[in-house]
Amino acid sequence: MADQGLNFDNPLFKQFAFYSGVVIVKTMSMSVLTALNRIGKSVYANPEDCAIGKAMDRNCKPTLTDPTVERIRRCHLNDLENVIPFFLIGLLYVSSGPNPATALMYFRIFTGCRLLHTVAYLCKVPQPSRALLFGGGLVVSLCMAFDVIRKAC
Amino acid sequence: MADQGLNFDNPLFKQFAFYSGVVIVKTMSMSVLTALNRIGKSVYANPEDCAIGKAMDRNCKPTLTDPTVERIRRCHLNDLENVIPFFLIGLLYVSSGPNPATALMYFRIFTGCRLLHTVAYLCKVPQPSRALLFGGGLVVSLCMAFDVIRKAC
Amino acid sequence: MADQGLNFDNPLFKQFAFYSGVVIVKTMSMSVLTALNRIGKSVYANPEDCAIGKAMDRNCKPTLTDPTVERIRRCHLNDLENVIPFFLIGLLYVSSGPNPATALMYFRIFTGCRLLHTVAYLCKVPQPSRALLFGGGLVVSLCMAFDVIRKAC
């Protein structure tokens, strides 16, 4: 059937493209945020980077322990650990012919959890808010994964 | 041909979905293992996380050097560095119309190597066991990659 | 249409397979480079790894701060943060039926930027060369991502 293929004629794939596009852009935006903070605070991981921006002062030296930069980087790594598996499993899930309403619900819960997870991480919202948002996204990915494995074995 | 498409009517794609589903779930399980160890040992990366679980004691402070947690995290990062490229290359490989028997063998070797790699990493099995399992998975991914590049150029 | 599917009969997908295959192999090669440097310098992250190669000397102990190994690892992580989102967004982009000439230009710019980025990182080429190459790749991924989101919403 044409409407189960991985192309934009398939409404479910189109929805998957939208939600996963949003979370991937969010993940990539952490690179930009890291770069802006490194430049703004002259906090670089490499000696040669001190030549960038206002870091021309002679005291610039590699720093791997700035709390703000390291927090953004942990948030970024957490995205890589969660958003990429969601995408990979989601692609298999869409090709497995799932219930469209369930699939759309999964995509929305995951996207909502991960957007709020970033807010909770960067704004230091008191726990267990971040832990619950992390768990919500993980449960969605695992539900899709078990469905894929069950159908494929 | 319908049976070369990326959907569950294609037996090879279905096998790919099964094996890659398994290794992705294994990768995601490292997140759970990290969380359980962080909570069990009160070893958190962020100051606000000390409010979780039994970590209500006033002495809780961010710790980035717990040997068990760092070992799990290295294992997790190693999964990200290997399982994700395997999936991406594998998806291209399946769409390139490979020999089904060779492809299935690749999927099985990779999955076996990565499952055992985690056991070797977490149980500190003497080397070179872990190095060989890491190498086995990498060689499979590279074989598929060179086949894809050869067919695509 | 057959020529918009994710298979090698679609010329655009074939080009995507070639360029993304190249950047994924480049990313995986960082694992090999890390391993060679760890063995050559006896710089290991785990106590049990000291049994590998010439590291049989009794003074071997885990080291997480070797400048060369850490530089390669930062380069590797930067690849994961950029090459994988490029692939995921690129896959959605190819399925969205883009202008083939624009798509091919994106793939070529990204691949060129990331290959030169690695040279700039490992050879410590003076900044802002590496920053510009990083930015070039990121802009390509974001252009494709915004196109995907616009078409999918």
Side-chain angles (χ1 to χ4, degrees), chain A residues 6 71 74 77 81 84-85 88-89 91-92 95-96 121 127 130 134 138 141-142 145 148-149 151-153, chain B residues 6 8 13-14 18 20-22 24-25 28 31-32 45-49 52 73 76 80 84 87-88 91:
Chain A
L6 298 183
R71 177 175 288 270
R74 283 196 296 275
L77 187 57
E81 291 169 359
I84 295 169
L88 305 184
I89 285 294
L91 200 68
L92 299 176
S95 4
S96 77
Y121 215 143
Q127 287 279 22
R130 201 185 82 233
F134 165 79
L138 192 66
S141 296
L142 289 175
V148 164
I149 292 174
K151 282 183 192 159
C153 74
Chain B
L6 299 183
F8 276 52
F13 181 75
K14 206 166 163 181
F18 175 74
S20 59
V22 167
I24 293 170
V25 167
M28 288 194 287
S31 288
V32 179
N46 301 289
E48 71 269 25
D49 299 351
I52 298 176
R73 286 172 53 73
H76 195 174
L80 295 178
I84 296 170
F87 184 99
L88 306 183
L91 200 68

Side-chain angles (χ1 to χ4, degrees), chain C residues 67-118:
Chain C
T68 308
V69 170
E70 293 310 308
R71 178 176 287 269
I72 299 169
R73 286 171 52 75
R74 283 196 297 274
C75 185
H76 195 175
L77 187 58
N78 195 285
D79 274 343
L80 294 179
E81 291 170 359
N82 288 278
V83 170
I84 295 169
F86 163 80
F87 183 99
L88 305 184
I89 285 293
L91 200 67
L92 299 176
Y93 182 68
V94 169
S95 3
S96 77
N99 181 301
T102 310
L104 183 57
M105 186 190 68
Y106 282 156
F107 303 162
R108 285 178 171 161
I109 294 175
F110 184 87
T111 305
C113 281
R114 294 309 302 183
L115 294 180
L116 291 174
H117 178 271
T118 301

Side-chain angles (χ1 to χ4, degrees), chain A residues 15 17 28 34 46-47 50 57 65 69 75 101-102 104-105 114 117 119-120 122 131 137 141 145:
Chain A
Q15 288 163 345
M28 286 194 289
T34 301
N46 301 288
C50 286
D57 61 287
T65 55
V69 170
C75 185
T102 309
L104 183 57
M105 187 190 67
R114 293 310 301 183
H117 178 272
V119 174
L122 299 186
S141 296

Side-chain angles (χ1 to χ4, degrees), chain B:
Chain B
M1 285 173 282
D3 62 3
Q4 283 207 4
L6 299 183
N7 59 66
F8 276 52
D9 295 333
N10 175 355
L12 185 58
F13 181 75
K14 206 166 163 181
Q15 289 163 344
F16 175 69
F18 175 74
Y19 289 105
S20 59
V22 167
V23 285
I24 293 170
V25 167
K26 196 228 74 61
T27 301
M28 288 194 287
S29 71
M30 305 310 287
S31 288
V32 179
L33 203 56
T34 302
L36 292 177
N37 269 274
R38 284 200 186 284
I39 294 170
K41 303 176 79 173
S42 294
V43 171
Y44 299 107
N46 301 289
E48 71 269 25
D49 299 351
C50 286
I52 298 176
K54 72 174 184 184
M56 301 302 287
D57 62 288
R58 290 160 189 273
N59 297 320
C60 177
K61 63 180 181 214
T63 311
L64 299 170
T65 54
D66 180 78
T68 309
V69 170
E70 293 309 307
R71 178 177 287 269
I72 299 169
R73 286 172 53 73
R74 282 196 297 274
C75 184
H76 195 174
L77 187 58
N78 195 286
D79 274 344
L80 295 178
E81 291 169 359
N82 288 278
V83 169
I84 296 170
F86 163 80
F87 184 99
L88 306 183
I89 285 294
L91 200 68
L92 299 176
Y93 182 68
V94 169
S95 3
S96 77
N99 181 301
T102 310
L104 184 58
M105 186 190 67
Y106 282 156
F107 302 162
R108 286 178 172 161
I109 292 174
F110 183 86
T111 305
C113 281
R114 293 310 301 183
L115 294 180
L116 291 173
H117 178 271
T118 301
V119 173
Y121 215 143
L122 299 187
C123 300
K124 306 177 194 179
V125 176
Q127 287 279 23
S129 58
R130 202 185 81 233
L132 292 175
L133 292 164
F134 164 80
L138 193 66
V139 165
V140 165
S141 296
L142 288 174
C143 285
M144 294 197 303
F146 289 130
D147 200 55
V148 165
I149 292 174
R150 188 178 54 76
K151 282 182 191 160
C153 74

Side-chain angles (χ1 to χ4, degrees), chain C residues 11-83:
Chain C
L12 185 57
F13 181 74
K14 205 167 164 181
Q15 288 163 344
F16 174 69
F18 175 74
Y19 289 104
S20 58
V22 168
V23 283
I24 293 171
V25 167
K26 196 227 75 60
T27 301
M28 288 195 287
S29 71
M30 304 310 287
S31 288
V32 178
L33 204 55
T34 301
L36 292 177
N37 269 274
R38 284 200 186 285
I39 295 169
K41 301 175 79 174
S42 294
V43 172
Y44 299 107
N46 302 287
E48 70 269 26
D49 300 352
C50 286
I52 299 174
K54 72 174 184 185
M56 302 302 287
D57 62 286
R58 289 160 190 273
N59 297 319
C60 177
K61 62 179 183 217
T63 311
L64 300 170
T65 54
D66 180 79
T68 308
V69 170
E70 293 310 308
R71 178 176 287 269
I72 299 169
R73 286 171 52 75
R74 283 196 297 274
C75 185
H76 195 175
L77 187 58
N78 195 285
D79 274 343
L80 294 179
E81 291 170 359
N82 288 278
V83 170

